[in-house]
């Protein structure tokens, strides 16, 4: 009788655990709009959730530490005139977030480090170029201020948020609705899925489809695709019999899949979240109550099932924390923020280890908050891998940096004169402007509070006078 050989992997025993009651965010009216995005975005400073909003679209932003019951009057970010469909934090500035809406616009917001008194209604910049609703957003992984959007007009637009201008428009590549768009590690290629059932690899700067595969999954329901660190493409979709399915593909040889596995018959679209450091992909289905996770390796069968985290409540959406926001002292390798109907709870994925020391093998250097390229450098054809940081001592988010938008004069086509300013001079300018803006905002809010206090005092005086008159009358 032959012995079964167990595959060696340090991630075989990864387990998931829901956060305690005091770690959850309660009383949040999560959006009920029908759209297959995650409805939640998180970074080491803030948690953002798309919420129900009367007469427009809004999302709420909470400091990560502000757990517990959320005041029903908590300020929202509300500038859109129709429901918000997707939100995404900038990977190079933890205070900047982009939102996409049914109103055809993209808005980019600067979130202050303090909790504002009123709703935030003025974005830093509004990007207008789509003719139908915008449902997909994705920041470039290595270039500063480069943002991608995809709309119901079947167009992908790449923007320079720093100038508010359109860099590239890919408008003749998709004949139908785009279901997903993903950058590769250095942002030189895109993988897209579309309602026409075709998986495409696109070079956005050349405006070319460099590889494509029809019916990577044969079912008609939406497909998702993400790049792995090896440059392969991991997909989720449906079979002809409506079974959910996952696949792994080599873009250099789209004829045959490297792996293709049927899963179950649920009809929720599987949202893949990928961690390149561990090469683990987590699959979260909208309406599911579980998270399945798989390890992708270089040896057949390439995609290895690890485990399933199960709970009782179905998920309305899911946020995925960047690696630099994890607690390395607890061997945490992933953290999700699961949306329920009225709350958000963290789910922590951990590798069990006995030692309290820093685990080098679990935490290779991870992408940090500094961009590797400027927008114009990327547009001119340069590529660069993410700038990595060590997580040995944990990650402390830097102080808020203001995103300045400098609109270019379209009549002046001369190149900018003189050398580019050094980073330190730019940062000093950012810091001074940020301080001035914060000071003005605080003074304005103090003035507003004083006016409200004065109004309350006048009201109290009026009520006391009425009470005195009433008492005198009864005497």
């Amino acid at each position: 009788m032959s012995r079964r050989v167990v595959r060696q992997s340090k991630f075989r025993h990864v387990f998931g655990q829901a956060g305690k009651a005091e770690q959850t965010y309660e009383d949040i009216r999560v959006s009920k709009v029908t759209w297959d995005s995650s409805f939640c975005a998180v970074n080491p400073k803030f948690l953002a959730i798309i919420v129900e909003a009367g007469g427009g679209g809004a999302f709420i932003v909470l400091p990560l530490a502000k757990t517990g019951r959320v005041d029903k009057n908590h300020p929202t970010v509300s500038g859109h005139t129709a429901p918000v469909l997707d939100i995404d934090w900038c990977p190079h500035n933890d205070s900047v977030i982009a939102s996409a809406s049914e109103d055809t616009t993209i808005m980019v917001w600067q979130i202050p480090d303090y909790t504002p008194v009123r709703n935030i209604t003025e974005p830093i910049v509004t990007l207008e170029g789509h003719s139908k609703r915008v449902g997909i957003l994705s920041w470039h992984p290595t270039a500063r201020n480069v943002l991608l959007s995809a709309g119901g007009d079947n167009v992908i637009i790449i923007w320079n948020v720093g100038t508010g201008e359109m860099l590239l428009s890919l408008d003749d590549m998709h004949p139908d609705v785009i279901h997903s768009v993903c950058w590769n590690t250095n942002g030189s290629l895109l993988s897209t899925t579309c309602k026409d059932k075709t998986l495409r690899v696109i070079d956005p700067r050349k405006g070319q489809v460099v590889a494509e595969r029809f019916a990577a999954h044969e079912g008609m329901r939406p497909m998702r695709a993400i790049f792995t660190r090896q440059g392969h493409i991991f997909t989720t979709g449906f079979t002809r019999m409506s079974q959910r399915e996952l696949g792994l593909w080599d873009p250099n040889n789209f004829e045959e899949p490297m792996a293709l596995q049927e899963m179950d018959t649920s009809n929720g679209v599987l949202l893949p979240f990928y961690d390149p450091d561990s090469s683990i992909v987590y699959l979260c289905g909208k309406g599911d109550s579980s998270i399945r996770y798989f390890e992708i390796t270089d040896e057949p069968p390439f995609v290895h099932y690890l485990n399933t985290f199960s709970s009782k409540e179905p998920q309305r959406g899911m946020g995925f924390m960047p690696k630099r926001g994890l607690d390395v002292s607890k061997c945490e390798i992933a953290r999700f923020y699961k949306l329920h109907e009225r709350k958000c709870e963290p789910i922590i994925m951990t590798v069990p280890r006995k030692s309290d020391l820093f685990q080098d093998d679990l935490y290779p250097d991870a992408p940090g908050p500094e961009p590797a390229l400027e927008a114009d450098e990327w547009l001119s054809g340069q590529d660069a891998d993410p700038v990595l940081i060590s997580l040995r001592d944990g990650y402390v988010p830097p102080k808020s940096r203001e995103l300045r938008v400098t609109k270019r004069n379209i009549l002046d086509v001369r190149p900018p004169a003189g050398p580019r300013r050094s980073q330190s001079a730019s940062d000093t300018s950012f810091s001074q402007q940020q301080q001035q803006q914060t000071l003005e905002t605080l003074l304005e809010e103090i003035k507003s509070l004083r006016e409200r206090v004065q109004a309350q005092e006048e009201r109290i005086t009026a009520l006391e006078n009425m009470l005195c008159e009433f008492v005198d009358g009864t005497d």
Side-chain angles (χ1 to χ4, degrees):
M1 182 175 159
S2 63
R3 289 176 61 195
R4 183 164 169 260
V5 178
V6 177
R7 186 179 69 88
Q8 289 294 314
S9 170
K10 59 193 168 203
F11 301 114
R12 263 180 51 224
H13 302 293
V14 172
F15 69 96
Q17 203 167 18
K20 296 172 184 166
E22 61 267 22
Q23 294 174 299
T24 62
Y25 306 81
E26 305 271 356
D27 257 14
I28 297 169
R29 296 186 305 140
V30 178
S31 173
K32 293 185 172 67
V33 69
T34 307
W35 190 253
D36 288 324
S37 73
S38 57
F39 283 15
C40 179
V42 63
N43 70 20
K45 280 173 78 171
F46 295 112
L47 169 69
I49 300 167
I50 302 174
V51 293
E52 284 286 284
F59 59 98
I60 193 169
V61 176
L62 301 168
L64 216 55
K66 192 177 173 61
T67 54
R69 191 174 297 279
V70 177
D71 189 321
K72 69 176 189 295
N73 296 319
H74 190 284
T76 59
V77 183
S78 51
H80 289 287
T81 56
V84 175
L85 300 178
D86 199 13
I87 48 177
D88 196 26
W89 287 105
C90 175
H92 307 126
N93 188 333
D94 286 340
S95 299
V96 171
I97 188 169
S99 59
S101 167
E102 277 191 12
D103 66 10
T104 76
T105 67
I106 302 107
M107 293 183 176
V108 181
W109 310 84
Q110 178 104 28
I111 306 300
D113 285 343
Y114 58 89
T115 303
V117 175
R118 300 189 196 87
N119 290 349
I120 300 173
T121 56
E122 292 295 324
I124 309 168
V125 64
T126 300
L127 307 172
E128 297 175 312
H130 288 282
S131 59
K132 291 187 179 176
R133 67 183 180 181
V134 187
I136 297 170
L137 287 176
S138 183
W139 291 89
H140 193 284
T142 63
R144 188 196 307 273
N145 295 340
V146 176
L147 176 66
L148 175 150
S149 63
D153 50 8
N154 313 336
V155 175
I156 292 174
I157 298 177
I158 297 173
W159 309 86
N160 181 350
V161 172
T163 61
E165 65 183 345
M166 188 187 299
L167 295 179
L168 298 164
S169 180
L170 310 175
D171 49 9
D172 54 357
M173 298 186 178
H174 300 87
D176 214 325
V177 176
I178 300 164
H179 287 148
S180 73
V181 184
C182 178
W183 296 98
N184 66 348
T185 306
N186 67 0
S188 59
L189 295 172
L190 300 171
S191 67
T192 70
T193 61
C194 178
K195 196 176 179 182
D196 70 351
K197 293 175 35 171
T198 303
L199 168 63
R200 293 174 175 84
V201 179
I202 296 171
D203 183 329
R205 289 168 297 191
K206 290 181 180 173
Q208 292 177 353
V209 176
V210 295
E212 61 183 352
R213 160 77 197 210
F214 177 69
H217 299 281
E218 294 185 342
M220 287 303 298
R221 290 187 55 72
M223 183 166 55
R224 289 281 189 278
I226 54 170
F227 273 105
T228 69
R229 69 178 181 200
Q230 296 92 348
H232 299 141
I233 296 175
F234 180 90
T235 59
T236 63
F238 293 80
T239 67
R240 196 172 288 163
M241 303 302 292
S242 292
Q243 279 196 299
R244 292 200 291 199
E245 191 175 45
L246 63 82
L248 187 68
W249 307 82
D250 181 353
N252 299 315
N253 179 17
F254 262 150
E255 291 302 311
E256 288 295 322
M258 296 169 64
L260 202 61
Q261 295 180 24
E262 289 184 8
M263 294 173 65
D264 57 26
T265 52
S266 178
N267 63 359
V269 174
L270 284 167
L271 305 178
F273 296 93
Y274 177 66
D275 173 22
D277 297 333
S278 60
S279 208
I280 295 176
V281 64
Y282 302 86
L283 302 183
C284 310
K286 272 204 156 183
D288 289 8
S289 53
S290 62
I291 301 173
R292 270 171 282 208
Y293 39 107
F294 300 78
E295 186 177 359
I296 300 173
T297 66
D298 295 327
E299 301 89 34
F302 302 110
V303 181
H304 307 268
Y305 171 75
L306 290 174
N307 210 335
T308 300
F309 167 81
S310 297
S311 58
K312 292 176 183 173
E313 297 289 325
Q315 54 229 15
R316 296 281 298 277
M318 196 70 78
F320 187 51
M321 176 66 79
K323 203 63 175 271
R324 57 196 165 88
L326 303 180
D327 187 343
V328 297
S329 66
K330 295 180 179 168
C331 296
E332 181 183 7
I333 63 161
R335 191 189 314 152
F336 292 91
Y337 286 79
K338 173 181 171 179
L339 299 187
H340 298 246
E341 201 168 324
R342 298 281 301 189
K343 71 173 183 178
C344 174
E345 72 171 339
I347 295 167
I348 295 148
M349 299 288 178
T350 308
V351 176
R353 292 278 169 98
K354 290 179 181 175
S355 171
D356 291 335
L357 299 174
F358 178 75
Q359 306 292 313
D360 297 81
D361 60 325
L362 297 184
Y363 301 106
D365 289 355
E370 285 303 314
L373 294 170
E374 297 297 328
D376 52 356
E377 292 173 333
W378 176 78
L379 188 63
S380 69
Q382 292 185 44
D383 290 320
D385 288 331
V387 178
L388 304 180
I389 57 170
S390 170
L391 300 178
R392 179 174 289 276
D393 301 317
Y395 171 76
V396 179
K399 283 189 176 178
S400 178
R401 288 184 304 182
E402 185 194 2
L403 170 61
R404 291 195 311 172
V405 177
T406 309
K407 299 272 184 167
R408 285 190 182 156
N409 180 354
I410 57 170
L411 301 176
D412 186 1
V413 293
R414 292 171 299 173
R420 203 166 60 201
R421 278 188 313 172
S422 69
Q423 186 64 35
S424 58
S426 167
D427 279 353
T428 305
S429 169
F430 279 179
S431 174
Q432 289 170 349
Q433 279 218 342
Q434 182 70 22
Q435 287 173 3
Q436 183 64 28
Q437 188 181 27
T438 303
L439 183 64
E440 288 172 2
T441 309
L442 287 171
L443 288 170
E444 188 184 321
E445 291 188 2
I446 289 168
K447 182 183 173 185
S448 170
L449 284 169
R450 279 191 175 138
E451 287 171 356
R452 281 154 65 184
V453 168
Q454 187 179 348
Q456 296 287 350
E457 286 175 347
E458 288 171 359
R459 175 77 176 141
I460 289 167
T461 304
L463 288 170
E464 284 174 342
N465 291 338
M466 286 171 64
L467 182 64
C468 291
E469 288 172 9
F470 178 76
V471 171
D472 291 344
T474 53
D475 289 346

